[in-house]
Amino acid sequence: AALAAGVQFVPARELAESGIMRALALIPEGARVVICLDVDALDPAIMPAVIGRTAGGLSYWQVFALIAGVAAKARIVAFDMVEFMPERDIAGQGALVAAQLLAGAIGIIARQETQP
């Protein structure tokens, strides 16, 4: 159904091997974008607070590069994080990473408000 609706997927392995540029290339210039960050997409080495920990997820800096890349091409109109599971966290590591990602995303979104 997603493919029929025009969704184009960028597999995680492609991101790992080739970087984020193809994913960013799919975003239309000037679009209004909602970013929904499923924290299951992050590598469990930095985000243990998820249901299905799977090695090979996004790094902290890849997530920031994606958010900043979207803001450079388009307007981020909403941002949320989903699938965080406090009961699966290890020593608060996931909560700390989630808070840092949220603070960074807010900063990127706030800066786009001051740009023409």
Side-chain angles (χ1 to χ4, degrees), residues 6 17 26 28 31-32 50 52 61 63 68-69 72 78 83-84 88 93-94 101 103-104 107 111 113-115:
E17 292 173 353
L26 296 172
R32 294 171 51 86
V50 299
W61 293 114
V63 172
E83 300 297 324
F84 180 83
R88 301 273 311 193
Q93 177 184 342
L101 287 171
R111 280 190 300 276
E113 292 295 324
T114 61
Q115 298 170 358

Side-chain angles (χ1 to χ4, degrees), residues 13-22:
R13 185 175 182 146
E14 182 179 336
L15 272 176
E17 292 173 353
S18 304
I20 62 170
M21 295 316 295
R22 187 167 91 78

Side-chain angles (χ1 to χ4, degrees), residues 32-114:
R32 294 171 51 86
V33 177
V34 174
I35 296 177
C36 183
L37 176 60
D38 184 333
V39 295
D40 281 301
L42 282 89
D43 194 278
I46 62 165
M47 179 50 71
V50 299
I51 291 175
R53 297 178 188 139
T54 305
L58 296 170
S59 74
Y60 181 82
W61 293 114
Q62 284 175 315
V63 172
F64 270 115
L66 283 165
I67 296 168
V70 170
K73 283 190 78 173
R75 183 138 193 95
I76 300 172
V77 297
F79 177 87
D80 74 349
M81 271 191 281
V82 299
E83 300 297 324
F84 180 83
M85 300 203 51
E87 62 275 11
R88 301 273 311 193
D89 205 355
I90 298 173
Q93 177 184 342
L96 179 61
V97 169
Q100 290 171 329
L101 287 171
L102 180 58
I106 290 170
I108 290 169
I109 292 166
R111 280 190 300 276
Q112 76 180 1
E113 292 295 324
T114 61

